[in-house]
């Protein structure tokens, strides 16, 4: 099934939109709304995926997924897809087969994709501000955007970061090994300069789906190597569906950027092009760090991390919290949760989504309805974590 068909199978309305960035990339953005909501002034939420991921990550949990929970509470929910993912392989001036298409990193997500999508959503919904939820790299680009452009915070009611990925000094697993061996540089010199882990074609997806049915433990092992082991393994049926949509791909250049961050002892900096190109682009020999101190202190932020996170390690998160100590910040650390548990675990609806939803509701201003007779039917939350 397509993404909209999956969403509609759960009883929600899903529409597909195209956003053209200022540098020509055409991004696919999904809009999800509840059929039971009959208002034209819904509050707006934007969810953004992580590295090698796509909007699909947000609906993997099924009926209890965060987008559906937000819809049930009356929200107009938008799910974005970064350039280079399976949903965003178009450009206004060149095909995705052109090597220049893949000359981007998360610097560009922060500079173009994020603000351009937000501006599009604001125009479509006639709202002044949105609630933002990012996972992994979806937090990276928001922190970078706010650091370079603090005024962007005026577009946000609040910012929720799941598995905040900013500092990488203590990243573990395959990512650290590949960075230490400089595999990224070897790959680049060998001429592989386009997509990294692109979404496979239909035939390959079918083979992978069958493989997952026959040998489900192998997928769990691969995921554990890449981003940590799930607290509860995927069931074979869910796994066979998952491989039809994931991984969603990115650019080789973006993976090099992450490797650079790990090797630099966790500097939160722009892409390192080498001395000469750095001098031309940045006016200095080394890439500049993003100034986290510029992030507005009055922006409500809620960071939810996993205690055993392989990619957003506890120590790196503590370092981030120290940088943000003067900000309006709330934090939760979920015991025994790794990086993908924050969005895929069977316990995520209660341990992550519920507190996130309460935080969003607390910081969402009421939008006046254009029709006073219109009513929003919402489901009450089982328990308010802020009251316990």
């Amino acid at each position: 099934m397509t993404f909209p068909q999956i969403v509609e199978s759960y009883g929600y309305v899903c529409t597909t939109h195209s956003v053209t960035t200022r540098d020509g990339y055409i991004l696919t953005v999904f809009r999800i709304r509840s059929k039971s909501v009959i208002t034209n002034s819904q509050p707006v939420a934007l969810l953004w995926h992580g590295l090698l991921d796509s909007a699909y990550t947000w609906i993997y949990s099924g009926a209890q997924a965060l987008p559906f929970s937000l819809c049930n509470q009356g929200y107009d929910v938008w799910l974005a897809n970064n350039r280079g993912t399976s949903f965003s392989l178009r450009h206004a001036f060149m095909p995705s087969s052109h090597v220049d298409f893949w000359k981007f990193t998360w610097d560009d997500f922060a500079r173009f994709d994020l603000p351009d999508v937000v501006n599009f959503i604001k125009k479509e919904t006639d709202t002044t501000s949105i609630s933002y939820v990012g996972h992994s790299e979806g937090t990276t680009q928001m922190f970078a955007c706010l650091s370079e452009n603090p005024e962007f915070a005026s577009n946000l009611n609040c910012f929720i970061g799941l598995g905040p990925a900013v500092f990488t000094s203590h990243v573990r697993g395959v990512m650290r090994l590949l960075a230490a061996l400089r595999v990224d540089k070897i790959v680049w010199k060998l001429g592989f300069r386009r997509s990294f882990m692109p979404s496979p074609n239909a035939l390959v997806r079918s083979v992978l789906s069958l493989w997952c049915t026959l040998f489900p433990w192998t997928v769990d092992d691969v995921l554990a190597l890449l981003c940590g082991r799930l607290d509860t393994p995927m069931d074979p049926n869910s796994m066979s569906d998952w491989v039809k949509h994931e991984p969603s791909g990115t650019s080789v250049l973006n993976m090099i950027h992450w490797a650079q961050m790990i090797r630099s002892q966790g500097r939160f900096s722009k892409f390192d092009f080498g001395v000469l190109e750095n001098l031309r682009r940045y006016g200095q020999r080394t890439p500049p760090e993003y100034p986290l101190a510029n992030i507005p202190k009055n922006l409500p932020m809620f960071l939810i991390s996993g205690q055993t996170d392989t990619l957003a390690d506890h120590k790196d998160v503590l370092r981030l919290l120290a940088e943000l100590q003067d900000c309006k910040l709330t934090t939760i650390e979920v015991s025994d949760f790794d990086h993908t548990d924050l969005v895929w675990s069977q316990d995520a609806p209660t341990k992550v989504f519920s507190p996130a939803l309460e935080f969003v509701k607390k910081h969402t201003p009421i939008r006046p309805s254009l029709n006073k007779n219109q009513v929003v039917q919402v489901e009450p939350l089982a328990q308010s974590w802020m009251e316990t």
Side-chain angles (χ1 to χ4, degrees):
M1 290 193 292
T2 65
F3 185 94
Q5 287 172 338
I6 296 173
V7 171
E8 289 163 2
S9 72
Y10 289 103
Y12 299 87
V13 178
C14 182
T15 54
T16 304
H17 303 260
S18 296
V19 179
T20 302
T21 65
R22 284 160 289 157
D23 58 342
Y25 286 84
I26 302 173
L27 314 180
T28 296
V29 183
F30 298 111
R31 185 182 193 181
I32 304 176
R33 286 176 287 181
S34 173
K35 293 179 180 179
S36 64
V37 175
I38 46 175
T39 179
N40 50 12
S41 58
Q42 295 171 248
V44 179
L46 170 61
L47 279 58
W48 214 298
H49 62 84
L51 179 64
L52 297 173
D53 220 335
S54 71
Y56 177 77
T57 198
W58 296 110
I59 63 171
Y60 169 78
S61 300
Q64 298 186 83
L66 181 57
F68 302 149
S69 296
L70 285 163
C71 285
N72 294 342
Q73 292 296 312
Y75 283 81
D76 183 353
V77 183
W78 295 72
L79 278 61
N81 295 281
N82 278 326
R83 62 184 68 188
T85 62
S86 57
F87 291 119
S88 299
L89 291 174
R90 293 179 295 155
H91 194 280
F93 314 118
M94 58 183 161
S96 60
S97 58
H98 197 290
V99 67
D100 287 346
F101 178 94
W102 299 98
K103 290 182 178 179
F104 62 79
T105 80
W106 58 258
D107 285 335
D108 301 291
F109 303 163
R111 182 182 177 187
F112 297 108
D113 295 11
L114 175 56
D116 291 351
V117 166
V118 168
N119 286 335
F120 176 87
I121 293 173
K122 287 176 62 180
K123 290 177 182 178
E124 286 290 310
T125 60
D126 195 29
T127 189
T128 57
S129 58
I130 67 171
S131 300
Y132 181 90
V133 184
H135 174 240
S136 189
E137 191 178 59
T139 70
T140 311
Q141 58 201 58
M142 177 57 81
F143 279 116
C145 181
L146 291 170
S147 297
E148 289 251 293
N149 182 18
E151 294 79 14
F152 184 75
S154 64
N155 297 295
L156 308 176
N157 302 318
C158 61
F159 165 29
I160 298 178
L162 312 182
V166 172
F167 298 115
T168 55
S169 298
H170 299 89
V171 166
R172 305 186 303 279
V174 171
M175 287 286 284
R176 173 159 294 280
L177 178 61
L178 294 178
L181 295 175
R182 286 171 164 71
V183 173
D184 54 305
K185 292 188 175 183
I186 297 172
V187 167
W188 186 259
K189 289 181 179 179
L190 289 174
F192 296 98
R193 302 184 177 186
R194 290 179 170 82
S195 60
F196 180 84
M197 292 187 74
S199 181
N201 59 38
L203 176 60
V204 175
R205 287 183 186 279
S206 298
V207 173
L208 289 174
S209 181
L210 177 61
W211 180 275
C212 290
T213 303
L214 297 174
F215 311 106
W217 65 88
T218 59
V219 179
D220 282 323
D221 289 342
V222 170
L223 284 174
L225 286 171
L226 291 173
C227 48
R229 189 172 295 279
L230 283 167
D231 67 331
T232 52
M234 290 183 177
D235 68 84
N237 290 332
S238 297
M239 194 178 296
S240 62
D241 288 336
W242 178 82
V243 296
K244 295 176 183 177
H245 302 275
E246 304 280 356
S248 192
T250 188
S251 69
V252 169
L253 212 61
N254 192 37
M255 296 304 298
I256 292 176
H257 194 171
W258 281 104
Q260 289 177 352
M261 291 172 66
I262 295 171
R263 286 195 294 267
S264 69
Q265 297 302 308
R267 291 178 74 246
F268 187 45
S269 59
K270 295 187 177 183
F271 187 84
D272 188 350
F273 291 94
V275 174
L276 293 179
E277 186 64 15
N278 286 343
L279 286 169
R280 189 184 73 83
R281 288 175 179 256
Y282 310 132
Q284 59 187 60
R285 296 173 62 87
T286 58
E289 294 188 59
Y290 282 97
L292 291 169
N294 288 349
I295 296 177
K297 304 299 184 288
N298 60 346
L299 173 64
M301 289 188 287
F302 185 16
L303 302 186
I304 306 178
S305 57
Q307 190 179 59
T308 58
D309 198 319
T310 302
L311 301 180
D313 184 84
H314 170 78
K315 294 178 181 178
D316 290 328
V317 173
L318 287 180
R319 179 181 170 189
L320 174 61
L321 299 183
E323 292 279 348
L324 303 174
Q325 61 181 334
D326 295 328
C327 294
K328 193 175 181 180
L329 186 64
T330 303
T331 63
I332 283 181
E333 185 178 72
V334 185
S335 61
D336 301 323
F337 260 36
D338 214 310
H339 203 60
T340 53
D341 287 321
L342 295 163
V343 285
W344 294 347
S345 171
Q346 295 177 6
D347 294 326
T350 55
K351 295 183 178 181
V352 179
F353 302 162
S354 183
L357 181 54
E358 282 286 1
F359 190 84
V360 169
K361 290 176 65 179
K362 178 181 179 181
H363 295 285
T364 299
I366 298 176
R367 295 182 64 189
S369 176
L370 297 179
N371 185 337
K372 294 182 179 180
N373 296 321
Q374 292 178 325
V375 179
V376 180
Q377 301 172 6
V378 299
E379 297 179 358
L381 291 175
Q383 180 183 25
S384 172
W385 70 278
M386 291 184 177
E387 296 175 357
T388 58

